[in-house]
């Protein structure tokens, strides 16, 4: 499953919605196949690749502001929001890049029988998030599926 780039600006919300989506899809597959599909079948995704070349992110004052917003809590409580940095600044993308989204994707591994293929090492010179290197991604997804099946 390639999922997430359209919700990059709200990684904390994604941290709630992505695991919920996994469970929803599983429930639908299970029900719509007359229970022939296991309720917790293995579910995997490719972690989002890099966004752009990365050169500008170290000096970009939007991405790395001199006075970042104050920490306003952890996780999804009291409500999902993309405005807070999180306890460890895990949500600190400031709307630029996929760091927070990758963190949320990794956190979704808490959902039973899930796996992810990390593909940050398959960037494209143009800065596209869609890597042309499909074979390594496919191999990583296959190994993950075999590990949880």
């Amino acid at each position: 499953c390639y999922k997430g780039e359209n919700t990059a600006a709200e990684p904390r919300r994604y941290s709630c919605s992505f695991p919920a989506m996994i469970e929803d899809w599983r429930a639908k597959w299970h029900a719509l196949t007359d229970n022939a599909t296991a309720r917790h079948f293995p579910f995997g995704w490719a972690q989002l690749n890099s966004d752009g070349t990365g050169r500008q992110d170290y000096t970009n004052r939007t991405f790395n502001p001199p006075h970042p917003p104050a920490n306003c809590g952890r996780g999804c409580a009291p409500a999902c929001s993309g405005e807070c940095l999180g306890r460890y600044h895990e949500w600190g993308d400031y709307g630029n890049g996929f760091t927070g989204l990758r963190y949320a994707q990794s956190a979704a591994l808490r959902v039973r029988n899930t796996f992810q293929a990390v593909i940050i090492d398959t960037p494209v010179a143009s800065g596209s998030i869609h890597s042309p290197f499909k074979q390594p991604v496919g191999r990583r997804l296959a190994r993950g599926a075999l590990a949880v099946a």
Side-chain angles (χ1 to χ4, degrees), residues 25-41:
W25 285 7
R26 284 175 163 173
K28 287 178 178 167
W29 274 79
H30 181 70
L32 296 174
T33 60
D34 295 325
N35 302 336
T37 303
R39 178 71 179 89
H40 296 286
F41 65 85

Side-chain angles (χ1 to χ4, degrees), residues 115 117 119 133-146:
F115 58 94
I119 63 169
F133 305 106
K134 305 299 185 200
Q135 290 183 347
V137 175
R139 282 193 296 271
R140 292 171 193 180
L141 286 169
R143 282 194 298 268
L146 290 170

Side-chain angles (χ1 to χ4, degrees), residues 2 9 25-26 29 48 54 56 58 60 63 66 70 116 119 144:
Y2 270 96
W25 285 7
R26 284 175 163 173
W29 274 79
L48 285 175
Q56 71 281 5
Y58 295 99
N60 181 330
F63 181 73
Q116 76 175 348
I119 63 169

